[in-house]
Amino acid sequence: MIELEQVAYGYAGTPLFSQLSLDLAEGSFHFLTGPSGAGKTTLMRLCYADLQADRGEVRLFGQNTRALDRDGVAMMRRRIGVVHQDCQFLDHLSIAENIALPLTVAGRADEVAGNLNELLDWVGLRAQANQLPPELSGGERQRAALARAVIMSPDVILADEPTGNVDWEMSQRLLTLLAELNRMGKAILIATHDLNMIRTVKGDVNARVLRLKDGELTHAGAEL
């Protein structure tokens, strides 16, 4: 689904990594760990063509991102749901309108009514549907961000520190939702520094832990 082959990327002439390879296959579940500054967020951005590799190949669903024009990248991104570390919303729109925005922008507003209520129930935000984003707690915002990421029914979910700003109980709830998506056949990649969180999903998903450090991506142990 998403493949990185011998990818190099750096900032201002300083290489971040030079020969990085990754394969996110259908139905796989990966945790991405590593110290701050190792490049986890950069790797995520390469995975949805928000950045172009300096060298090597990034393939989204079999297509080299270098061969995709702006419209082609936009079409690929419809198959990839992204939960950013700092979830951003349009504060003048209700949380329901924010969640539905990807469908609206894609010209699929007729699908909103059927998908939105079910999705709000799934993330436990039906009661908050008409609230504005500033009125939500941190955990509610993260669940709303996950709902927005999956409303297009993507094949891959990329989540960058999705539990970094929420308490332990909410972390478990978010992980449960992501595990449910994985059981539906979605490929999941979660960037996190919290190893305790990783250990809690041992019985729920067949996950691999990857470690990004000093420009190298390695398996940090066997399957959980």
Side-chain angles (χ1 to χ4, degrees):
M1 289 181 142
I2 296 180
E3 301 166 280
L4 280 67
E5 184 175 348
Q6 299 295 299
V7 164
Y9 193 85
Y11 293 98
T14 302
L16 191 58
F17 33 74
S18 58
Q19 291 183 316
L20 189 148
S21 295
L22 172 68
D23 181 11
L24 295 181
E26 181 178 357
S28 63
F29 197 120
H30 289 83
F31 286 104
L32 176 64
T33 67
S36 178
K40 297 188 295 295
T41 296
T42 297
L43 176 56
M44 288 276 193
R45 293 176 67 188
L46 286 165
C47 285
Y48 61 94
D50 191 44
L51 296 173
Q52 283 286 356
D54 295 334
R55 296 189 305 278
E57 285 193 14
V58 178
R59 293 184 292 273
L60 304 183
F61 308 101
Q63 297 192 49
N64 191 324
T65 57
R66 296 186 191 280
L68 297 173
D69 59 16
R70 184 175 178 177
D71 289 341
V73 169
M75 291 300 294
M76 290 295 105
R77 286 183 182 171
R78 293 182 183 184
R79 301 179 65 182
I80 303 171
V82 182
V83 182
H84 298 280
Q85 185 172 2
D86 297 316
C87 40
Q88 299 291 321
F89 297 101
L90 297 178
D91 287 347
H92 66 285
L93 297 179
S94 70
I95 201 63
E97 290 170 322
N98 270 281
I99 291 171
L101 201 57
L103 281 177
T104 305
V105 171
R108 295 165 54 183
D110 57 319
E111 300 177 33
V112 169
N115 292 349
L116 186 57
N117 288 334
E118 181 179 352
L119 198 51
L120 285 167
D121 285 337
W122 181 65
V123 295
L125 291 177
R126 175 70 78 96
Q128 293 85 358
N130 295 319
Q131 293 183 6
L132 297 176
E135 299 175 302
L136 270 61
S137 69
E140 289 168 342
R141 289 172 66 88
Q142 288 286 29
R143 280 183 281 149
L146 179 57
R148 182 178 59 185
V150 304
I151 196 167
M152 297 279 286
S153 191
D155 299 303
V156 181
I157 310 295
L158 308 176
D160 190 1
E161 297 283 1
T163 63
N165 298 315
V166 299
D167 60 27
W168 180 252
E169 182 179 351
M170 188 55 64
S171 294
Q172 300 312 296
R173 186 165 185 174
L174 286 165
L175 281 173
T176 297
L177 294 173
L178 287 163
E180 287 178 11
L181 289 167
N182 181 245
R183 286 192 288 271
M184 294 166 59
K186 313 294 185 184
I188 309 290
L189 175 63
I190 303 174
T192 183
H193 65 279
D194 190 344
L195 297 183
N196 286 328
M197 181 192 74
I198 294 173
R199 295 187 186 103
T200 64
V201 300
K202 182 176 181 180
D204 295 327
V205 295
N206 189 22
R208 300 287 291 184
V209 181
L210 304 174
R211 181 167 176 80
L212 182 58
K213 184 180 180 182
D214 298 329
E216 295 186 358
L217 187 66
T218 58
H219 288 285
E223 294 181 355
L224 286 173

